[in-house]
Amino acid sequence: MDHKPVSDYVPTSFSKAGEPVMNDILALLKTRRSAPAATLKAPGPSPQDINAMLEVAARVPDHGKLAPWRFIVFEGDGRDRAGTLVAEVYAKAHPDAEAGRIETELKRFSLAPLVIGVVSSAAAHPKIPEWEQVLSAGAVCMNLIIAANALGFASVWLSEWYSYDREVLSRMGLAEHEKIAGFIHIGCAAGPREDRPRPNLTEIVTRF
Ligand SMILES: Cc1cc2nc3c(=O)[nH]c(=O)nc-3n(C[C@H](O)[C@H](O)[C@H](O)COP(=O)(O)O)c2cc1C
């Protein structure tokens, strides 16, 4: 099969928000770019879209077929309840916090129409190193992003302070050993976005 150089791949069509709707996987991957959560607008993915994204997200390499990850979907008022939880925990830890900062925390999960939390359930295993289970959770986050982008939505992978706060995590239902691999915020982009500088391959590639 003749391999076209990557530079030949261009968007084949654009969605109403001006996002390149790529039929070509390589073109989509070549132009993938996050969008700030605050710029992600409704409409969000439909229930069918969400199922399709979760199906793709769960289809990742997984040493030992352990599925050491799971999803928490934050949609509708679930986003507001998550924001209230985060703001409560923040306010308790920062009694002198300004009202504006509490407001920011309240809105953390309702900036975009949809947030999908990817939980890593990696744990000690007789055969599969925990590190490899964590990598698989990272792959889940990336597959979820690519599936969302392929459906014409924009996204961003965020952690922020609350991903490391055990009170927030336990009130979101995470077990002691579980961690957040990421909160993927998904919605319609406000329009095309400038790319950011990308790593220079000559600095990160060696040949053995
Ligand atoms: C595990 C992980 C956690 C991240 N957490 C944050 C975050 O909390 N806040 C943030 O602004 N960007 C965060 N980012 C970076 C953004 O997701 C995004 O990748 C970055 O802005 C680069 O843009 P790009 O995705 O277009 O390459 C995180 C990325 C990863 C992989």
Side-chain angles (χ1 to χ4, degrees), residues 5-143:
V6 169
S7 52
D8 287 2
Y9 284 88
V10 286
T12 48
S13 63
F14 289 80
S15 70
K16 42 190 178 308
E19 277 297 289
V21 177
M22 305 280 184
N23 298 323
D24 185 314
I25 297 171
L26 199 55
L28 182 145
L29 293 171
K30 180 178 169 285
T31 58
R32 183 208 64 77
R33 159 92 260 228
S34 292
T39 66
L40 297 173
K41 302 294 171 223
S46 67
Q48 295 76 6
D49 288 336
I50 295 173
N51 278 337
M53 290 191 285
L54 292 172
E55 207 178 298
V56 167
R59 196 183 171 87
V60 290
D62 167 14
H63 196 181
K65 303 184 187 66
L66 307 177
W69 24 256
R70 62 189 181 87
F71 302 100
I72 304 176
V73 177
F74 299 87
E75 55 194 339
D77 66 2
R79 298 172 303 153
D80 305 326
R81 279 184 277 110
T84 304
L85 159 55
V86 162
E88 247 173 50
V89 172
Y90 184 85
K92 196 162 65 175
H94 304 85
D96 305 334
E98 311 241 318
R101 180 60 198 265
I102 303 299
E103 192 56 26
T104 301
E105 300 305 330
L106 272 173
K107 291 191 182 132
R108 287 278 192 187
F109 280 76
S110 34
L111 296 171
L114 174 71
V115 181
I116 298 181
V118 179
V119 176
S120 164
S121 322
H125 184 277
K127 281 206 187 118
I128 311 299
E130 203 165 327
W131 166 240
E132 293 183 10
Q133 298 173 46
V134 172
L135 290 174
S136 184
V140 164
C141 292
M142 203 55 226
N143 251 32

Side-chain angles (χ1 to χ4, degrees), residues 32-35 156-161 181-182 195-196 198:
R32 183 208 64 77
R33 159 92 260 228
S34 292
V156 63
W157 180 347
L158 299 180
S159 46
E160 305 294 349
W161 66 268
D195 198 4
R196 68 176 173 91
R198 298 292 165 179

